[in-house]
Amino acid sequence: MITTRTQPHPFDAAAETAALTTGRTDIGAIVTFTGLVRDVALTLEHYPTMTNRQLAAIAAEALTRWPGIAGTVIHRFGTLAPGDPIVLVAIASAHRAAAFEAAEFLMDWLKTRAPFWKHEAGAGWVAAKSSDDEAAARWDKP
Amino acid sequence: MDFLYFAWVRERIGTGAETLALPATAVTIADLLDWLAQQSPGHAAALADRATIRVALDEDFVALDAPIAGAREIAIFPPVTGG
């Protein structure tokens, strides 16, 4: 199971990771990715109902591709300061390959499919990057 | 139909949500955007560059040539930039 949620408040990556392994002895690998706000303050706008649906759909796709993994995905919204954590992807798996791959897949799809928009203080709306589309496209099935 | 707008699409149109009666001529998303762009100068400015417009029907992404048929809610926004 991969739980997904959005929230305005900070998350505790260590506590989230610990929760994935509580009571389990079959997990041999945990990969965690934490995205931070870089350089300038951001306001994250989102489309709440669609965001929740998209995050659940992305998580379901990851479980189809890497059966047996477990994880937590958290994305913050609202106003964030430079250095603040903005997104967490934590994946637990029996072996490391699935955990690394699934974490990268989740971030790539999240960046291109979850309806969030970054607004930088003093600079305006952040433009989408073609490199993010290219990163997501490598997971396309032939 | 309920319309939702986000990010700079919302700013240019001047509201995050509105309810509008669609004309019978609007069959596809592209038809709908053509009609919506005529509603005000703000709508026209928001929809001027279709390459930067993304659309969701009832919370699922759709292509511009997709049919509108039966949808309750349409959301219009720029390419997403989360993560």
Side-chain angles (χ1 to χ4, degrees):
Chain A
M1 168 159 184
I2 299 176
T3 57
T4 63
R5 67 179 193 266
T6 59
Q7 62 189 42
H9 51 276
F11 50 78
D12 181 341
E16 298 293 342
T17 305
L20 290 176
T21 56
T22 300
R24 294 187 61 167
T25 54
D26 58 333
I27 292 170
I30 298 173
V31 168
T32 61
F33 171 82
T34 304
L36 306 177
V37 178
R38 192 179 59 244
D39 297 333
V40 289
L42 286 179
T43 302
L44 257 290
E45 180 169 332
H46 75 314
Y47 176 4
T49 52
M50 182 175 174
T51 302
N52 291 337
R53 272 172 54 114
Q54 287 292 104
L55 291 179
I58 293 166
E61 179 66 24
L63 282 172
T64 301
R65 295 181 184 219
W66 294 276
I69 63 172
T72 300
V73 175
I74 303 172
H75 202 303
R76 293 176 67 191
F77 58 89
T79 300
L80 305 176
D84 280 355
I86 179 169
V87 60
L88 174 74
V89 171
I91 299 295
S93 173
H95 302 286
R96 71 182 184 281
F100 274 124
E101 290 170 14
E104 275 210 284
F105 167 82
L106 283 159
M107 274 308 302
D108 287 341
W109 269 34
L110 186 158
K111 284 187 84 84
T112 52
R113 296 174 184 237
F116 289 94
W117 300 273
K118 290 191 181 104
H119 187 276
E120 289 184 347
W125 296 100
V126 172
K129 294 193 196 81
S130 59
S131 57
D132 287 338
D133 290 329
E134 289 154 15
R138 69 195 160 124
W139 302 104
D140 288 351
K141 288 178 172 167
Chain B
M1 177 178 257
D2 294 328
F3 286 72
L4 298 177
Y5 310 120
F6 294 94
W8 53 255
V9 173
R10 169 179 57 72
E11 289 182 344
R12 290 179 192 176
I13 290 176
T15 183
E18 61 186 339
T19 301
L20 300 170
L22 284 187
T25 50
V27 176
T28 66
I29 298 296
D31 298 337
L32 181 152
L33 295 180
D34 289 343
W35 170 81
L36 190 64
Q38 296 167 10
Q39 301 309 301
S40 81
H43 289 81
L47 302 173
D49 181 2
R50 300 292 163 84
T52 60
I53 293 295
R54 300 291 179 270
V55 177
L57 271 190
D58 293 338
E59 303 175 0
D60 282 320
F61 283 105
V62 289
L64 294 187
D65 60 356
I68 303 162
R72 292 177 298 102
E73 180 180 280
I74 180 167
I76 303 173
F77 44 77
V80 302
T81 56

